[in-house]
Amino acid sequence: MRTIIAFYVSGIAFTILVAERWSATSIIEILTLQNIPGYSEFLLSFAFIFPLLFVMKPFAEKLNGVICAIVVVLSLLSCNLQFDTHFLPVLGVFFGGNAFFCFPIISYFSYFVVGAYLSKKKTSLNRIVLVFAAVGSMMLLAYVWRTGGMPTRFPPSALWVMGGYLFVYAYWLMCRNVKRWKLIKMIEAVGSKSLQYLVVSNVVIFSVFQVCSQAGGFDVSGAMTFVFWLAVFTVCIVCSFAFVRSWERLRMTMRRGIGRKERKGSHEQSVAEEAQSSGMEG
């Protein structure tokens, strides 16, 4: 539920600040998923992946190497399917399409199934997965070397999906040892609230774009480009941190208020019961 709300917030912010379309119709189209705004579509994919994983939980418990390999192959084959999603954009969230830039769940599902398979293993490094991941990434590098360009990304081709295997697997292995890092508390603070940080950062970036557009553009080059984006990044972190802290304080205040009401109600009930008991004794 939080992810779909994050999609709505980010999507509406993009529509107002970047696309500059502010109307009830535009908002309704987003709420009913008739329009999937840019830079927010991946949030919708994550929103739908959770119920899909819940439905497939019984199958995940029986997951083995053979089933994992079959699902990976089927997922990669689905990249060849082409859908006209203009009449129903939400289909692009699952299968890809040409109505908007999307991250189709089925096309990228190999990442999830391999992750579920690895989570059942006691050892971190799996040689078979490592070889397969290396082959996938090497195929992408060979394609880039021969053609001088990248394979299709929207909708994703099988080669594009496979190309990230080794990098994602290496990142996963690194995260397995994250508890050894001295800055773990800072990392956990950001990671535990990553959705909030992401949404606030999106709104900040969209706002910067709007300000620059209203100012007739903001031309940066050379070293100033780095300074500009570093400043934007800093503002994103500060605003995100302030929002998360404010939200946590609001939740704590609400919890304390509910706790006081419950204690007050319990006390009043105890007094009433004692009074009733005293009356009966009398």
Side-chain angles (χ1 to χ4, degrees), residues 12-277:
I12 292 173
F14 178 88
T15 302
I16 296 174
L17 299 174
V18 179
E20 297 185 350
R21 290 192 292 116
W22 171 246
S23 66
T25 302
S26 300
I27 305 302
I28 292 174
E29 287 179 349
I30 296 173
L31 296 177
T32 57
L33 305 183
Q34 298 179 48
N35 177 29
I36 315 295
Y39 298 96
S40 309
E41 64 285 336
F42 62 95
L43 289 170
L44 192 58
S45 296
F46 279 113
F48 279 110
I49 191 64
F50 293 117
L52 181 61
L53 293 176
F54 177 79
V55 172
M56 298 189 67
K57 185 178 179 179
F59 300 97
E61 295 176 351
K62 301 178 181 179
L63 186 64
N64 55 36
V66 176
I67 297 177
C68 180
I70 293 174
V71 175
V72 168
V73 171
L74 292 177
S75 174
L76 293 174
L77 289 176
S78 71
C79 296
N80 296 320
L81 300 176
Q82 297 293 329
F83 292 91
D84 184 0
T85 54
H86 285 87
F87 71 99
L88 191 59
V90 73
L91 280 178
V93 175
F94 292 93
F95 303 102
N98 51 8
F100 60 96
F101 291 158
C102 54
F103 297 85
I105 295 173
I106 304 302
S107 299
Y108 286 101
F109 200 71
S110 56
Y111 286 95
F112 295 98
V113 70
V114 173
Y117 174 73
L118 290 173
S119 66
K120 300 176 66 175
K121 299 294 182 179
K122 295 182 180 180
T123 57
S124 299
L125 183 62
N126 187 295
R127 295 180 180 179
I128 297 177
V129 174
L130 177 61
V131 171
F132 181 76
V135 170
S137 295
M138 290 300 294
M139 290 176 63
L140 173 65
L141 295 176
Y143 177 90
V144 174
W145 181 72
R146 291 188 60 183
T147 64
M150 298 293 289
T152 306
R153 182 182 179 187
F154 298 109
S157 62
L159 194 56
W160 172 265
V161 175
M162 294 173 63
Y165 282 165
L166 184 60
F167 304 100
V168 173
Y169 188 42
Y171 182 74
W172 182 81
L173 290 173
M174 181 185 67
C175 291
R176 296 277 288 186
N177 300 315
V178 71
K179 291 184 179 180
R180 301 177 182 177
W181 296 3
K182 295 181 179 180
L183 298 178
I184 181 60
K185 292 185 178 180
M186 181 184 298
I187 297 172
E188 285 182 345
V190 176
S192 62
K193 306 293 182 182
S194 58
L195 186 61
Q196 292 93 322
Y197 276 90
L198 175 62
V199 174
V200 175
S201 296
N202 270 7
V203 174
V204 171
I205 293 172
F206 298 157
S207 300
V208 171
F209 179 88
Q210 175 66 11
V211 171
C212 292
S213 298
Q214 293 294 331
F218 187 74
D219 185 21
V220 292
S221 59
M224 287 302 298
T225 303
F226 174 77
V227 174
F228 173 76
W229 286 113
L230 180 61
V232 172
F233 176 76
T234 303
V235 172
C236 288
I237 294 297
V238 171
C239 292
S240 299
F241 181 79
F243 173 82
V244 171
R245 288 296 298 272
S246 300
W247 178 252
E248 289 178 347
R249 289 181 179 179
L250 177 62
R251 291 182 61 184
M252 289 296 296
T253 302
M254 293 176 63
R255 287 179 180 178
R256 290 173 182 172
I258 294 174
R260 292 193 188 99
K261 289 182 180 179
E262 291 179 349
R263 288 193 295 270
K264 182 179 180 181
S266 178
H267 176 70
E268 292 176 350
Q269 184 178 357
S270 298
V271 172
E273 290 176 352
E274 291 179 1
Q276 184 179 4
S277 178

